[in-house]
């Protein structure tokens, strides 16, 4: 278990403010946020590589705030692998051997297990210069897990990899987490990674934690504009609430429920908005608007349609095929519809 | 074929002039003495003693610079602290101070008028006109070269490698010897050679502190003053050969590493 209380760091240029976080033993926890949010600094503070100004870090009941890195039993895996270039794969993996207090048999067993799971057998005598990104990252994982740390910190372990390897390492991470008691704490700026790997997550921005909770909860019920935007709720409007409705300037949105506040925000995912050329005849969607297409943005497999309704711009996603079938062009008149339940209020 | 611009020819001609300016005098020097003259110089006890003394003192200076300088070079490569610029400035002072001034400066610390000098005298350590004095002067002039090379070597090693090593249970000392040193030894060796090469060629500072015992540059100067050009040349050739061999080792070590496949 990791407990972080009121943590502040002391660095020139960048600082963490009042970080409070609690991570259960054996959990797969993800720290998310844009570049420069302080995710890596927080990891390095837990690993003991960044000076702490105030606050406490407690791992499995042990206050480690003032311990040197080698006494913390915290493993770290970086995005750029950081293998020791002068040592072979095997020497890298067994680097921490001599600092272990367990019996040799256990170490041998663990080595065998890790090398098997991570498919490294044929690479053991190679030097890191000759390995691919995926192989390097697998070695780095084996090296960190070899010392059986209480906590494994992963700093964007997938982002430097080719897409093919990324999938592979992601599955290995899942398998490794399932087969060990180690708590995994991973930093990423990719929400899809978080969804596929983690139980719980925290979103950080500018040295602060914005929201902590189950990944799905963060995804569906962001508590701030920042988080809503970060998790892809691209339709975000300041509104005033009245009864079960929200008013964004002249546009009225049915929420199907009452808000606790007078003013606030509504947020809506682009994929929850359905676009059609004719007015939907009967539908369960309680919100339907007539709009004008003001922008079509090619996103590869999808197109993002920007449509103006009153003075709001709604963003919606459609497939390439629907784009042609509906014959949507800039200036075209379309209908936008979405369910009251799809609207998130905060 | 495109016509070369005049600027191109200016570069080529200036380059040739510079090459000739450096190489020609050295070439003339190396070819001036006859083989028998060179052989005779080797048999001359005074010459041999001075050359050995040069190598011996420069070697010690490099070794002491290595021992004393490594921790400082590492500190400068890894940490930011208040007054770092000042420390860096002080390290570079020996490079810009005129060489005889270095000798005089050292004497003013180890002389009878300074408590350090009196303490050394009580311990029976003589600096003026001694091997100790020569080594002290050579460390003074050579240390900056070692510090720069070693520091650069340390800076080229990602601090994350050290972080990972420590997260795996290795202490700071253990990390230094298992990670940092194996990755930086080449730069450190280059630093040692640079320091030794600088030390072996020093004249001005040494001659102030110790005319005797005579290192090779002082002997060359004495022969030149006393007997003329012809008599100083054979000794000079031997000294140049030593310097050149150091230089070639240095060049060899700093060759870009071939990527192993």
């Amino acid at each position: 278990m990791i407990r972080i209380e009121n943590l502040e760091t002391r660095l020139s240029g960048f600082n963490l403010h009042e970080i409070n976080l609690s991570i259960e033993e054996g959990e797969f926890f993800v720290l998310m946020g844009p570049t420069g949010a302080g995710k890596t600094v927080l990891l390095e503070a837990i690993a003991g590589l960044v000076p702490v100004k105030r606050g406490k870090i407690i791992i499995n009941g042990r206050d480690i705030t003032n311990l040197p890195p080698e006494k913390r039993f915290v493993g770290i895996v970086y995005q750029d692998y950081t293998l020791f270039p002068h040592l072979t794969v095997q020497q890298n993996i067994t680097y921490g051997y001599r600092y272990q207090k367990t019996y040799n048999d256990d170490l041998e067993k663990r080595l065998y297990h890790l090398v098997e799971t991570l498919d490294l057998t044929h690479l053991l005598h190679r030097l890191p210069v000759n390995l691919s990104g995926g192989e390097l990252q697998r070695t780095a994982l084996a090296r960190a897990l070899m010392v059986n740390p209480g906590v494994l910190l992963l700093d964007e372990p997938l982002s430097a990899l080719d897409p093919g390897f990324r999938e592979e390492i992601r599955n290995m991470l899942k398998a490794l987490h399932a087969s060990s008691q180690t708590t995994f704490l991973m930093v990423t700026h990719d929400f899809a990674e978080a969804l596929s790997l983690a139980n719980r997550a925290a979103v950080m921005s500018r040295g602060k934690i914005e929201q902590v909770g189950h990944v799905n909860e963060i995804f569906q019920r962001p508590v701030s504009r920042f988080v809503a935007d970060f998790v892809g709720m691209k339709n975000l409007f300041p509104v005033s609430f009245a009864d079960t409705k929200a008013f964004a300037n002249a546009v009225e949105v049915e929420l199907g429920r009452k808000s606790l506040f007078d003013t606030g925000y509504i947020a809506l995912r682009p994929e929850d908005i359905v676009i059609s050329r004719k007015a939907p005849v009967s539908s369960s969607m309680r919100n339907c608007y007539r709009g004008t297409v003001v922008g079509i943005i090619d996103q590869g497999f999808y197109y993002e349609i920007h449509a103006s309704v009153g003075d709001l711009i709604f963003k919606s996603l459609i497939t390439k095929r629907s784009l042609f079938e509906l014959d949507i062009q800039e200036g075209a008149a379309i209908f936008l519809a979405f369910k009251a339940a799809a609207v998130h209020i905060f | 074929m495109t016509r070369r611009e005049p600027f191109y020819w200016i570069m080529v001609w200036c380059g040739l002039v510079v090459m000739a300016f450096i190489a020609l005098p050295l070439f003339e020097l190396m070819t001036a003495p006859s083989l028998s003259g060179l052989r005779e110089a080797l048999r001359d006890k005074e010459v041999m003693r001075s050359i050995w003394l040069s190598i011996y003192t420069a070697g010690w200076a490099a070794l002491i610079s290595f021992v004393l300088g490594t921790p400082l070079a590492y500190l400068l490569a890894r940490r930011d602290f208040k007054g770092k610029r000042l420390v860096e400035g002080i390290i570079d002072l020996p490079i810009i101070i005129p060489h005889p001034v270095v000798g005089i400066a050292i004497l003013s610390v180890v002389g009878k008028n300074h408590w350090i000098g009196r303490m050394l005298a009580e311990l029976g350590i003589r600096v003026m006109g001694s091997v100790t004095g020569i080594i002290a002067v050579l460390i003074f002039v050579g240390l900056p070269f070692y510090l720069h090379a070693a520091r650069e070597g340390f800076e080229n090693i990602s601090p994350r490698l050290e972080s990972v090593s420590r997260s795996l249970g290795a202490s700071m000392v253990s990390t230094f010897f298992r990670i940092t040193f194996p990755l930086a030894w080449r730069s450190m060796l280059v630093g040692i050679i640079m320091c030794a090469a600088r030390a072996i060629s020093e004249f001005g500072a040494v001659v102030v502190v110790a005319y005797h015992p005579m290192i090779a540059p002082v002997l060359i100067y004495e022969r030149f003053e006393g007997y003329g050009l012809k008599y100083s040349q054979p000794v000079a050739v031997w000294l140049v050969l030593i310097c050149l061999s150091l230089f070639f080792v240095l060049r060899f070590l700093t060759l870009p590493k071939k990527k192993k496949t």
Side-chain angles (χ1 to χ4, degrees):
Chain A
M1 193 185 114
I2 311 174
R3 216 168 71 233
I4 296 166
E5 294 170 0
N6 302 319
L7 186 75
E8 289 187 26
T9 57
R10 182 177 28 141
L11 286 174
S12 54
F14 183 85
N15 281 307
L16 298 176
H17 310 285
E18 292 275 319
I19 301 285
N20 282 289
L21 199 59
S22 187
I23 300 169
E24 294 303 317
E25 196 165 346
E27 199 172 5
F28 200 130
F29 193 93
V30 162
L31 267 180
M32 289 177 291
T35 311
K39 298 163 293 177
T40 302
V41 176
L42 180 53
L43 278 202
E44 294 199 314
I46 296 171
L49 305 167
V50 160
V52 167
K53 191 164 84 184
R54 199 171 300 136
K56 268 186 188 167
I57 304 169
I58 296 157
I59 293 184
N60 297 334
R62 205 163 62 111
D63 184 345
I64 59 157
T65 320
N66 296 312
L67 289 181
E70 63 268 24
K71 298 227 164 77
R72 297 187 172 208
F73 307 111
V74 170
I76 191 160
V77 172
Y78 283 108
Q79 176 185 355
D80 56 0
Y81 327 122
T82 36
L83 292 185
F84 306 132
H86 58 304
L87 302 178
T88 63
V89 168
Q90 179 159 14
Q91 287 168 332
N92 263 284
I93 298 174
T94 56
Y95 183 86
Y97 251 41
R98 65 174 72 170
Y99 311 111
Q100 292 288 297
K101 290 187 185 91
T102 39
Y103 295 112
N104 272 331
D105 281 0
D106 286 358
L107 288 176
E108 289 301 328
K109 237 181 264 165
R110 202 181 306 147
L111 176 66
Y112 181 78
H113 168 71
L114 285 171
V115 166
E116 280 290 299
T117 316
L118 291 165
D119 189 22
L120 291 166
T121 319
H122 58 295
L123 302 171
L124 285 177
H125 302 291
R126 304 258 291 271
L127 280 172
V129 263
N130 307 319
L131 304 186
S132 71
E135 291 166 339
L136 290 167
Q137 199 56 294
R138 270 147 50 199
T139 309
L141 277 169
R143 179 179 64 183
L145 287 169
M146 194 57 222
V147 298
N148 203 17
V151 175
L152 181 64
L153 307 173
L154 301 145
D155 188 6
E156 307 205 11
L158 307 175
S159 50
L161 299 169
D162 293 335
F165 287 132
R166 203 173 295 171
E167 181 89 36
E168 176 195 324
I169 302 272
R170 199 165 72 188
N171 292 334
M172 281 181 176
L173 274 176
K174 234 176 182 163
L176 285 171
H177 177 249
S179 71
S180 76
Q181 288 104 40
T182 301
T183 308
F184 281 42
L185 173 52
M186 183 171 109
V187 157
T188 179
H189 56 245
D190 183 343
F191 207 87
E193 267 174 27
L195 277 172
S196 76
L197 286 169
N199 323 104
R200 293 200 313 140
V203 179
M204 284 184 80
S205 141
R206 282 176 290 163
K208 282 188 185 143
I209 290 189
E210 293 270 337
Q211 186 173 358
V212 186
H214 282 274
V215 184
N216 284 324
E217 189 185 303
I218 293 177
F219 195 58
Q220 280 154 11
R221 289 192 290 280
V223 294
S224 68
R225 282 187 71 165
F226 174 81
V227 180
D229 191 46
F230 183 75
V231 300
M233 290 198 168
K234 290 194 172 178
N235 298 291
L236 189 68
F237 308 115
V239 292
S240 54
F241 299 108
D243 197 24
T244 62
K245 292 189 169 68
F247 296 90
N249 297 334
V251 180
E252 182 186 317
V253 178
E254 174 59 50
L255 305 168
R257 59 203 189 275
K258 282 186 184 177
S259 167
L260 296 171
F261 318 104
D262 291 336
T263 58
Y265 291 92
I266 59 168
L268 188 62
R269 288 184 184 287
E271 56 268 34
D272 286 337
I273 301 178
V274 176
I275 288 180
S276 56
R277 290 305 292 259
K278 289 183 204 134
V281 189
S282 70
S283 135
S284 60
M285 308 218 179
R286 297 174 65 181
N287 292 294
C288 185
Y289 307 94
R290 210 190 148 86
T292 311
V293 176
V294 292
I296 301 171
I297 295 160
D298 189 347
Q299 291 195 332
F301 298 116
Y302 292 96
Y303 281 83
E304 193 177 282
I305 306 296
H306 293 193
S308 69
V309 174
D311 52 5
L312 302 184
I313 304 277
F314 280 93
K315 292 167 189 167
S316 161
L317 285 181
I318 59 170
T319 60
K320 201 166 191 166
R321 193 169 143 184
S322 344
L323 184 80
F324 287 115
E325 281 178 1
L326 293 172
D327 185 28
I328 290 175
Q329 281 153 3
E330 254 177 70
I334 54 168
F335 288 91
L336 302 110
F338 50 87
K339 290 183 180 181
V343 182
H344 174 64
I345 324 167
F346 61 96
Chain B
M1 215 178 114
T2 50
R3 250 177 66 88
R4 304 276 193 203
E5 287 176 54
F7 186 69
Y8 173 81
W9 294 112
I10 294 173
M11 290 191 292
V12 169
W13 278 107
C14 287
L16 288 176
V17 169
V18 169
M19 289 295 106
F21 182 74
I22 294 171
L24 193 63
L26 281 176
F27 178 78
E28 287 301 325
L29 168 76
M30 301 300 280
T31 51
S34 62
L35 273 179
S36 62
L38 284 176
R39 224 176 293 134
E40 202 176 314
L42 269 188
R43 261 185 245 117
D44 184 337
K45 282 222 177 88
E46 208 182 16
V47 172
M48 285 316 286
R49 212 184 299 130
S50 73
I51 285 179
W52 276 121
L53 186 64
S54 270
I55 295 172
Y56 178 80
T57 50
W60 270 108
L63 195 69
I64 294 171
S65 298
F66 163 70
V67 173
L68 286 180
T70 303
L72 177 59
Y74 186 67
L75 182 75
L76 288 173
R78 280 288 180 266
R79 297 283 159 88
D80 279 319
F81 50 88
K82 258 189 202 149
K84 186 174 176 178
R85 305 282 285 210
L86 182 69
V87 173
E88 288 169 340
I90 291 173
I91 286 169
D92 282 340
L93 279 181
I95 297 175
I96 55 158
I97 290 180
H99 298 175
V101 177
V102 170
I104 291 167
I106 287 203
L107 283 185
S108 50
V109 173
V110 300
K112 283 193 199 81
N113 298 322
H114 197 277
W115 65 270
I116 291 180
R118 284 195 295 274
M119 197 178 72
L120 287 173
E122 263 174 48
L123 291 168
I125 299 169
R126 201 162 57 93
V127 173
M128 181 89 183
S130 75
V131 175
T132 319
I134 297 173
I135 293 174
V137 168
L138 296 188
I139 293 171
F140 193 98
V141 296
L143 197 50
F145 292 87
Y146 176 71
L147 286 172
H148 283 300
R151 175 185 176 171
E152 205 187 309
F154 291 138
E155 275 172 350
N156 284 334
I157 299 169
S158 164
R160 285 189 169 184
L161 288 173
E162 293 169 358
S163 302
V164 168
S165 162
R166 298 199 60 191
S167 78
L168 292 168
S171 65
M172 244 168 134
V173 181
S174 205
T175 297
F176 183 84
F177 284 107
R178 291 185 74 190
I179 303 297
T180 317
F181 187 80
L183 292 173
W185 70 268
R186 191 183 287 268
S187 309
M188 290 159 88
L189 190 57
V190 166
I192 289 173
I193 292 174
M194 295 264 282
C195 177
R198 176 67 190 81
I200 216 164
S201 58
E202 180 55 38
F203 168 75
V206 177
V207 85
V208 172
V209 173
Y211 195 90
H212 288 282
M214 238 181 238
I215 58 165
V218 178
L219 182 76
I220 292 167
Y221 176 73
E222 193 192 55
R223 295 257 163 123
F224 175 69
E225 282 283 278
Y227 311 98
L229 190 61
K230 210 165 163 22
Y231 287 86
S232 62
Q233 274 169 340
V235 194
V237 168
W238 284 114
L239 190 63
V240 168
L241 284 176
I242 290 167
C243 293
L244 278 182
S245 53
L246 276 180
F247 181 73
F248 279 122
V249 175
L250 181 72
R251 269 295 146 114
F252 179 73
L253 282 174
T254 50
L255 279 181
K257 262 186 276 180
K258 274 179 215 149
K259 208 179 166 188
K260 283 174 218 149
T261 46

